[in-house]
Amino acid sequence: MFPLHAARPGQPVAAIDTPALVLDLDAFERNLRRMAQALQGSGVRLRAHAKSHKCPEIARLQMAHGAVGICCQKVSEAAVFVVAGIRDVLITNQVVGEAKVRRLAGLATRARIGVLADDPQQVRAYAAAARAVGAELDVYVEVDVGAGRCGVAPGEPAVQLALLIAESAPLRFAGLQCYHGPAQHLRQPGERQAAIAAASALARSTRDAIVARGLPVPRITGAGTGTFVHERDSGVFDEIQAGSYIFLDADYGANQAGAGDVAFEHALFVRTAVLSHATPTRAVVDAGLKASSVDSGLPRVWNRPGLRYTKAADEHGTIAIDEGTEIALGETLMLVPGHCDPTVNLYDELVCIRGGVVEAVWPIEARGALS
Amino acid sequence: MFPLHAARPGQPVAAIDTPALVLDLDAFERNLRRMAQALQGSGVRLRAHAKSHKCPEIARLQMAHGAVGICCQKVSEAAVFVVAGIRDVLITNQVVGEAKVRRLAGLATRARIGVLADDPQQVRAYAAAARAVGAELDVYVEVDVGAGRCGVAPGEPAVQLALLIAESAPLRFAGLQCYHGPAQHLRQPGERQAAIAAASALARSTRDAIVARGLPVPRITGAGTGTFVHERDSGVFDEIQAGSYIFLDADYGANQAGAGDVAFEHALFVRTAVLSHATPTRAVVDAGLKASSVDSGLPRVWNRPGLRYTKAADEHGTIAIDEGTEIALGETLMLVPGHCDPTVNLYDELVCIRGGVVEAVWPIEARGALS
């Protein structure tokens, strides 16, 4: 009896079993087009981040809308997309461990694969593994441009690592990864702009220092949904790694818009049903922590004023009901998840709807691809 | 290339791919025995909650250690366990929606199935579906004994619902569900004891009111790992629904112990590797939000003083390194997850270790069984 499909194509939306992860195709397609338009003529290309959706069908649509390839975070995740026919994947992460690096090199025999480094040990391991299977591998130096997570310091440390990669055939020094994660979630447009101005200055000076040593820097890549207009306009970034723009979760939705920001819209929802309504001011829905990730805030109730999602337990979500608002046992709600990436990772399928009908069910093939 | 198994039985622990969900079998088996001992001679039985592990192999071991059956939270989850041979399952939840109630009744043709109600509509739907397939169904009245989530009010509302169930053949009125979720996580032993004393008083008065109307109350069930000693000693509960005791997560580990509390130990870990160590005071591991749920706090680094997990991103965990502490790129750590239930739900398998060797790999068959 398990796994059950939450719905079949052709069924009405009302027939979708709950909880289910639902994609509003009209909104999703508008988001795809908005991103393509935002980059058109800028000379900056999109390499869409697939960690947000883990779904090859979506990757194919992103590429049909101009993306040059995708990003992944893990080797096992990249493998799913390579098998599905995506032939240009950048793993925006360091890969460590003999078996994992061997799998990375194996993928590079089947597709163009990029990976990050912030330590000479990684470079040596990548080179040995690539050599063993006769593969080439694009290696980017990750530079810490303000995120305070992975990455070497800007300037000379990055220069040294770039030079090491360049002399470590069959590796190719492919450029700089300059992603500023925390900047994506700064609420005020001015804060985001300032963070990316600082990141861009560090990316530029690091690039110039590498070029001054005679080594070209083929690409400077980074950015996310929250800041990409600033990287696009920086004059130094030439590739954008946005992922969440296709879905727009509640956290990104809470960012204040600034001049030039692109207005994406919510396209991803958790459909849930009321299973208990024991008091007039409280209902309980069947979507809790295992149905919607709460790390970036609780889900929001979509288009139902007077109802607020106030508490998540494993399998229960508590809904506070304002006076004068009605909701019935069994009624369904659409929730906007707080954070799309870990929410998508809870589901095996995406139920795609349009005009009140289930149009498709797309497997989330890289769900759980952690390694 | 995916799904890959993180390890094979017989391999050394060092060979486990990361991140992986790891069960320390010695600690787990001690936890199983501690619970059996804690209930021995009490007249109170264990119906272990399977939402914590979603793993039929663990359910079988719990029953071998005296559990009379299991609890599940969802129909699809229960279906996995029934198919795996567990023949007594209580769904500790209301089930709403025609298709779902039909599946519930279908399960009741194959196993003894219980379910909760807190509304007459649910009772009528259960009765119609059970009648349609010729199944009997145990229905418990959920009473809100302080949790403020699902459940009718104690006293007369519970009496009315119990009487309705009793006259709704082929339903059987099976007793009262009196679970106090928030009490499990109260830090001080006195707070937990007081909460369960109040809950027990409400359970008792409600039971007495039903019995006074001539309807026997076969069972009063509830409790979790944080409070079960109090329900055991209450004189009114006769069934315990603990689940987390087998794993003991960081949140339960932070509860202060009181007189009579049973000392369970951490048995569940996320094994993770250092993928970046770009500064002396910071390392980054490969287990983030998609590898360990953070809703009840960040994971704790196990048995490595001087290292603290300070921040979780989707696929990265930041480790703060105290002065004088060393950690190397590629080194592995064991993390104690903040909350076991949603963490287990992120994985397809449990890598079971003993004495430095992988002894078994158990599928988490009900992973993602949300509906």
Side-chain angles (χ1 to χ4, degrees):
Chain A
M1 299 183 61
F2 178 80
L4 291 164
H5 295 297
R8 293 185 308 276
Q11 286 189 307
V13 166
I16 299 171
D17 196 16
T18 60
L21 191 67
V22 169
L23 185 66
D24 176 336
L25 285 172
D26 287 334
F28 164 71
E29 291 170 5
R30 285 192 293 269
N31 287 341
L32 286 173
R33 290 195 295 270
R34 285 179 182 116
M35 177 58 85
Q37 286 158 8
L39 296 182
Q40 200 167 25
S42 68
V44 176
R45 61 194 213 168
L46 173 67
R47 177 182 288 283
H49 217 307
K51 78 184 178 88
S52 303
H53 57 69
K54 291 178 169 278
C55 171
E57 187 61 31
I58 291 183
R60 285 189 279 267
L61 288 168
Q62 289 174 314
M63 296 190 71
H65 283 77
V68 298
I70 62 166
C71 302
C72 287
Q73 285 286 67
K74 298 293 182 103
V75 176
S76 60
E77 192 176 63
V80 171
F81 288 95
V82 169
V83 167
I86 306 292
R87 286 292 175 254
D88 191 342
V89 181
L90 168 57
I91 298 172
T92 52
N93 217 338
Q94 289 68 24
V95 175
V96 170
E98 200 185 319
K100 223 186 289 274
V101 173
R102 202 162 51 228
R103 291 201 297 274
L104 170 73
L107 278 186
T109 65
R110 304 181 56 181
R112 179 162 196 152
I113 301 290
V115 67
L116 310 187
D118 66 0
D119 191 293
Q121 281 186 56
Q122 296 149 356
V123 176
R124 288 190 286 270
Y126 296 160
R131 210 173 294 129
V133 295
E136 294 188 318
L137 197 55
D138 287 343
V139 183
Y140 295 73
V141 172
E142 181 165 17
V143 183
D144 181 357
V145 292
R149 193 169 66 187
C150 304
V152 294
E156 192 54 27
V159 174
Q160 290 304 318
L161 199 58
L163 293 171
L164 176 66
I165 295 165
E167 68 193 26
S168 301
L171 306 185
R172 288 184 293 239
F173 171 61
L176 304 179
Q177 164 87 3
C178 298
Y179 176 62
H180 194 321
Q184 308 307 312
H185 308 284
L186 296 170
R187 286 284 172 257
Q188 297 303 323
E191 297 174 301
R192 296 195 296 277
Q193 186 164 19
I196 300 308
S200 299
L202 295 170
R204 179 180 290 108
S205 62
T206 300
R207 177 196 65 189
D208 293 348
I210 296 171
V211 171
R213 302 290 277 273
L215 181 62
V217 178
R219 194 155 305 281
I220 297 186
T221 184
T225 295
T227 67
F228 81 95
V229 293
H230 305 305
E231 281 94 343
R232 176 196 66 188
D233 299 340
S234 67
V236 58
F237 282 85
D238 48 17
E239 191 175 86
I240 296 299
Q241 300 176 355
S244 303
Y245 72 99
I246 50 171
F247 295 143
L248 200 75
D249 56 31
D251 179 66
Y252 272 122
N255 277 7
Q256 307 286 311
D261 275 347
V262 181
F264 298 109
E265 62 188 297
H266 296 304
L268 185 78
F269 301 92
V270 171
R271 188 174 167 84
T272 186
V274 175
L275 60 84
S276 169
H277 187 6
T279 82
T281 59
R282 184 175 68 230
V284 178
V285 294
D286 63 1
L289 295 172
K290 295 180 187 169
S292 192
S293 180
V294 300
D295 59 89
S296 302
L298 294 175
R300 287 197 307 105
V301 178
W302 180 239
N303 277 350
R304 282 296 310 266
L307 300 177
R308 280 166 299 118
Y309 191 109
T310 57
K311 194 174 176 193
D314 281 342
E315 288 89 359
H316 296 89
T318 301
I319 304 287
I321 307 171
D322 287 353
E323 212 182 310
T325 302
E326 299 282 328
I327 184 168
L329 197 66
E331 196 173 328
T332 53
L333 297 176
M334 298 280 262
L335 306 176
V336 179
H339 187 180
C340 54
D341 305 37
T343 297
V344 169
N345 189 49
L346 298 169
Y347 290 87
D348 292 294
E349 60 185 17
L350 200 46
V351 179
C352 304
I353 64 172
R354 194 189 319 261
V357 175
V358 176
E359 184 168 307
V361 178
W362 292 341
I364 301 170
E365 289 179 32
R367 195 277 321 152
L370 274 176
S371 66
Chain B
M1 298 184 63
F2 177 78
L4 291 162
H5 294 296
R8 294 185 306 277
Q11 285 189 308
V13 166
I16 300 172
D17 196 16
T18 59
L21 191 66
V22 169
L23 185 66
D24 176 336
L25 285 173
D26 287 334
F28 163 72
E29 291 170 4
R30 285 192 293 269
N31 287 341
L32 286 174
R33 290 195 294 270
R34 285 179 183 116
M35 178 57 86
Q37 285 159 9
L39 296 182
Q40 200 167 26
S42 68
V44 176
R45 62 193 213 169
L46 174 67
R47 176 183 289 281
H49 217 307
K51 79 185 177 86
S52 304
H53 57 69
K54 290 176 168 280
C55 173
E57 187 62 30
I58 291 183
R60 285 188 278 268
L61 288 167
Q62 289 175 313
M63 295 190 71
H65 284 77
V68 297
I70 62 167
C71 302
C72 286
Q73 286 285 69
K74 299 292 183 104
V75 176
S76 61
E77 193 176 64
V80 172
F81 287 94
V82 169
V83 167
I86 306 291
R87 287 290 175 255
D88 190 344
V89 181
L90 168 58
I91 297 173
T92 51
N93 218 339
Q94 288 69 23
V95 174
V96 171
E98 198 185 319
K100 224 188 288 275
V101 172
R102 201 164 49 230
R103 291 202 296 276
L104 170 74
L107 278 185
T109 65
R110 304 181 56 180
R112 179 164 196 150
I113 301 290
V115 66
L116 310 188
D118 66 0
D119 191 292
Q121 282 186 55
Q122 296 148 357
V123 175
R124 288 190 286 268
Y126 298 159
R131 211 174 293 128
V133 295
E136 295 188 318
L137 197 54
D138 288 341
V139 183
Y140 296 72
V141 172
E142 181 165 16
V143 183
D144 182 357
V145 291
R149 193 169 67 188
C150 303
V152 294
E156 191 56 25
V159 173
Q160 290 304 320
L161 199 57
L163 292 171
L164 176 67
I165 296 165
E167 67 194 27
S168 301
L171 306 185
R172 288 184 291 238
F173 171 61
L176 303 178
Q177 164 87 3
C178 299
Y179 176 61
H180 194 322
Q184 308 307 312
H185 309 285
L186 296 170
R187 285 286 172 256
Q188 297 302 323
E191 296 174 300
R192 296 195 297 276
Q193 187 164 17
I196 300 310
S200 299
L202 295 170
R204 179 180 290 109
S205 61
T206 301
R207 178 197 64 190
D208 292 348
I210 296 171
V211 171
R213 303 289 275 273
L215 182 62
V217 178
R219 194 156 303 281
I220 297 185
T221 182
T225 295
T227 66
F228 80 93
V229 293
H230 305 305
E231 282 94 343
R232 177 196 64 190
D233 299 340
S234 66
V236 58
F237 283 85
D238 48 19
E239 189 176 88
I240 296 299
Q241 299 176 355
S244 303
Y245 73 98
I246 52 171
F247 295 143
L248 199 74
D249 56 31
D251 179 66
Y252 271 122
N255 277 5
Q256 307 284 313
D261 275 346
V262 181
F264 297 109
E265 60 188 299
H266 296 305
L268 185 78
F269 302 91
V270 172
R271 189 174 168 85
T272 186
V274 175
L275 59 85
S276 170
H277 187 5
T279 82
T281 58
R282 184 176 68 231
V284 178
V285 294
D286 63 1
L289 295 173
K290 294 179 189 170
S292 192
S293 179
V294 301
D295 59 88
S296 303
L298 294 174
R300 288 198 307 107
V301 177
W302 180 240
N303 277 349
R304 282 295 311 265
L307 300 177
R308 279 165 300 119
Y309 191 110
T310 57
K311 195 174 175 193
D314 281 342
E315 288 89 359
H316 296 89
T318 301
I319 304 287
I321 307 171
D322 287 352
E323 215 183 306
T325 301
E326 300 281 329
I327 184 169
L329 197 66
E331 196 173 329
T332 53
L333 297 175
M334 297 280 261
L335 306 176
V336 180
H339 187 179
C340 54
D341 304 37
T343 297
V344 169
N345 189 50
L346 298 168
Y347 290 86
D348 292 292
E349 60 185 18
L350 200 46
V351 179
C352 305
I353 65 173
R354 194 190 316 262
V357 175
V358 175
E359 186 168 304
V361 178
W362 292 341
I364 301 170
E365 289 179 33
R367 196 274 324 149
L370 274 176
S371 66

